[in-house]
Amino acid sequence: VLETNGIKSWVREKAVEQILDYHYEEQAMEELGECLDQINYKVISPSYRRTLMNYYMACNRMEDAYFGIELYGSDLVDTEQLYLLTCVGLYLHKGQKDELLLIMAHRTFINGKYNDEVLHYLEKYLEGRLFDLLVLWEVLKKKNLDTVEYEEKLIEQMLFTGESDERMLDVLLSYLSKKENNALMEALMELYCQSCFFSGRKLPDSFFTLLDRQAKTGNPLSVPAMLSYLQWKAQTGFEPVEEERIRIRGYLKQLCAKGIVFTFYEAFEEIFSLPPIFVELTWISYYGKPERKTEAEFIIQNDKNYIRQQTVALAEVYPGFYFGSIFLFDEEKGKVYVSQEEENTVEKMVRMEQFDTGISWSRKEILNRMKEEKLQAGFMGKHYDETLLELKEQLFMLP
């Protein structure tokens, strides 16, 4: 059939396929192998290619089966065959990168069929979304395989692309527990401190242990790192060690010099005294787009009646982090509208910090007393007018 030129191609295809099927059904593997020696993928129909790969694999001719994958793709095989041929590809390519083999390895991994060799190949060459890469990292961790280089790859991708995933904090902690890399550590710590302080993200104690370790090195901390560190110490308490007191005092001085003040600084009053004027002010912070002229417009209202309006320029103390201050009465409330260049003025979420001074001579307390006296004077004036009116009515009633 194969050597006769006068036979039509479709007849030849059907004849070859029937002969192969017959030997396979009869379990005559030696005869099947002899037939496979005389043919190739060109003399069978496209619909029979999957079957031919099965026969190659049944005769343990994995390289021929893998050659079919290289010609026609891995869609022709099922999950088990894909896994076996992936192992063949790993052997043939000796660990070198091959795009087809990488696709096959990832597919068999997704299907849940893999061994350590497949995992190591993916760990070395797999690229893509951070989400997909983290799925592989979780499997590597469960199998207790070495993940240091892969974790470094994940961290670098996160920093470069700006992608985010909750599991990346676990990656960071795992990586830093095994390897010292100050550059990556500082970059990641700053990123997580931003999300912790500016966005209110909750981080585990293990993260703050790392932050404390970094602070003890004496290397300068960024603004978000200093704020996160101080807020953590304000909540958990600081050690009565002079070295730590000096460090905390130094951070507070740096922040106050930049005009960054928060009420949790009061937790450190034993070792640091805020300037009185700082305590009297109401502090406003806003996190937005960097390098923009930013203003906060206050519309102070009381029972929906307009009282006063004031605009405060916010200074950018860190990329995207703006700070300002204003004098307010204790009971003054209203709306705050933040505007940035090239944007419309809208009501945005701002953080307002106000100290409870209790100092009788402070500007805020004096303003509060003036307000109370004004209210009392208004009440007395109204009472005086009512008394006069009543006296006038009584005078008209006299004979």
Side-chain angles (χ1 to χ4, degrees):
V1 169
L2 292 175
E3 295 174 357
T4 305
N5 294 327
I7 296 179
K8 294 181 179 180
S9 60
W10 68 270
V11 175
R12 181 183 289 109
E13 289 174 357
K14 290 297 180 183
V16 170
E17 292 168 8
Q18 288 183 23
I19 293 170
L20 294 174
D21 290 342
Y22 170 79
H23 289 310
Y24 182 76
E25 290 167 3
E26 294 295 321
Q27 293 294 303
M29 293 304 169
E30 186 176 345
E31 289 81 358
L32 178 61
E34 292 175 357
C35 291
L36 292 173
D37 285 337
Q38 301 178 58
I39 67 168
N40 56 47
Y41 285 97
K42 294 181 180 179
V43 298
I44 60 163
S45 62
S47 61
Y48 196 77
R49 289 167 183 163
R50 181 194 295 267
T51 305
L52 183 59
M53 286 186 189
N54 290 339
Y55 293 166
Y56 276 130
M57 296 176 72
C59 294
N60 202 29
R61 298 174 61 159
M62 294 298 185
E63 292 188 24
D64 290 321
Y66 187 78
F67 180 65
I69 292 284
E70 291 182 320
L71 287 175
Y72 305 113
S74 59
D75 294 336
L76 297 175
V77 294
D78 59 28
T79 301
E80 186 64 32
Q81 292 172 335
L82 179 64
Y83 169 67
L84 292 174
L85 291 174
T86 299
C87 294
V88 172
L90 292 171
Y91 170 76
L92 293 175
H93 289 281
K94 307 297 183 184
Q96 298 299 311
K97 184 176 181 181
D98 177 78
E99 292 299 332
L100 174 62
L101 179 58
L102 185 57
I103 293 171
M104 292 171 61
H106 193 216
R107 277 189 58 197
T108 193
F109 171 74
I110 293 172
N111 292 335
K113 299 284 293 182
Y114 50 80
N115 56 20
D116 288 358
E117 192 177 1
V118 172
L119 293 175
H120 283 308
Y121 189 80
L122 290 172
E123 181 183 10
K124 188 175 182 180
Y125 296 118
L126 183 63
E127 298 175 350
R129 298 183 307 163
L130 190 63
F131 178 87
D132 298 326
L133 299 179
L134 283 167
V135 173
L136 174 60
W137 176 78
E138 290 175 329
V139 174
L140 293 170
K141 289 291 289 183
K142 287 179 182 178
K143 295 180 74 67
N144 294 319
L145 298 176
D146 184 18
T147 57
V148 173
E149 291 185 4
Y150 191 66
E151 287 165 351
E152 192 168 297
K153 173 182 173 181
L154 290 173
I155 293 169
E156 289 174 347
Q157 176 163 328
M158 179 182 175
L159 292 172
F160 181 76
T161 64
E163 292 180 272
S164 181
D165 192 289
E166 290 295 326
R167 293 169 291 179
M168 280 303 297
L169 180 57
D170 295 327
V171 173
L172 172 65
L173 297 175
S174 173
Y175 174 74
L176 294 177
S177 67
K178 294 172 285 190
K179 185 175 180 180
E180 289 287 343
N181 188 322
N182 291 331
L184 276 182
M185 180 177 178
E186 290 175 9
L188 262 296
M189 294 295 275
E190 182 168 351
L191 189 64
Y192 278 104
C193 285
Q194 286 182 39
S195 64
C196 169
F197 194 82
F198 299 148
S199 304
R201 178 180 179 182
K202 292 184 178 180
L203 298 174
D205 290 338
S206 53
F207 172 82
F208 291 103
T209 302
L210 280 175
L211 182 59
D212 188 45
R213 190 177 80 185
Q214 187 181 12
K216 287 178 179 178
T217 63
N219 295 326
L221 295 184
S222 65
V223 169
M226 284 192 287
L227 289 170
S228 298
Y229 177 83
L230 290 173
Q231 191 172 47
W232 173 58
K233 286 294 182 180
Q235 294 169 352
T236 60
F238 56 93
E239 299 175 8
V241 179
E242 188 61 25
E243 182 183 353
E244 182 163 310
R245 291 169 175 251
I246 292 172
R247 181 165 54 249
I248 291 174
R249 195 181 300 119
Y251 291 156
L252 289 168
K253 286 181 178 180
Q254 289 181 55
L255 293 170
C256 288
K258 293 177 180 290
I260 304 173
V261 181
F262 288 95
T263 53
F264 65 79
Y265 291 2
E266 289 181 308
F268 309 108
E269 60 182 357
E270 177 187 339
I271 59 174
F272 183 78
S273 298
L274 286 167
I277 188 67
F278 281 17
V279 177
E280 296 180 35
L281 289 164
T282 298
W283 296 89
I284 313 126
S285 58
Y286 170 70
Y287 191 64
K289 293 182 178 179
E291 299 181 359
R292 300 287 180 91
K293 180 181 178 182
T294 304
E295 293 181 338
E297 182 181 358
F298 289 81
I299 299 179
I300 312 300
Q301 295 176 330
N302 186 8
D303 297 328
K304 297 182 180 180
N305 294 321
Y306 170 81
I307 297 178
R308 67 188 180 92
Q309 181 175 338
Q310 186 172 347
T311 300
V312 177
L314 302 182
E316 188 173 19
V317 295
Y318 179 82
F321 187 41
Y322 299 86
F323 228 88
S325 59
I326 187 175
F327 278 108
L328 290 179
F329 296 111
D330 280 340
E331 298 178 358
E332 282 190 324
K333 295 181 180 179
K335 294 183 177 181
V336 183
Y337 294 86
V338 176
S339 65
Q340 288 193 303
E341 281 183 326
E342 303 175 4
E343 286 189 7
N344 296 327
T345 301
V346 294
E347 186 177 5
K348 295 182 179 179
M349 183 64 67
V350 296
R351 182 169 175 173
M352 298 182 66
E353 301 273 327
Q354 196 171 41
F355 291 88
D356 183 17
T357 62
I359 302 173
S360 59
W361 49 262
S362 69
R363 184 181 188 278
K364 190 172 75 171
E365 292 300 323
I366 292 172
L367 289 173
N368 288 332
R369 285 205 306 274
M370 289 173 62
K371 181 180 178 183
E372 292 175 5
E373 290 171 0
K374 184 177 180 181
L375 291 173
Q376 290 176 1
F379 172 77
M380 293 298 293
K382 181 179 179 182
H383 180 67
Y384 175 72
D385 291 337
E386 291 174 350
T387 303
L388 283 180
L389 181 61
E390 185 178 348
L391 287 173
K392 287 180 180 179
E393 290 175 352
Q394 291 178 3
L395 285 172
F396 283 116
M397 293 173 63
L398 291 174

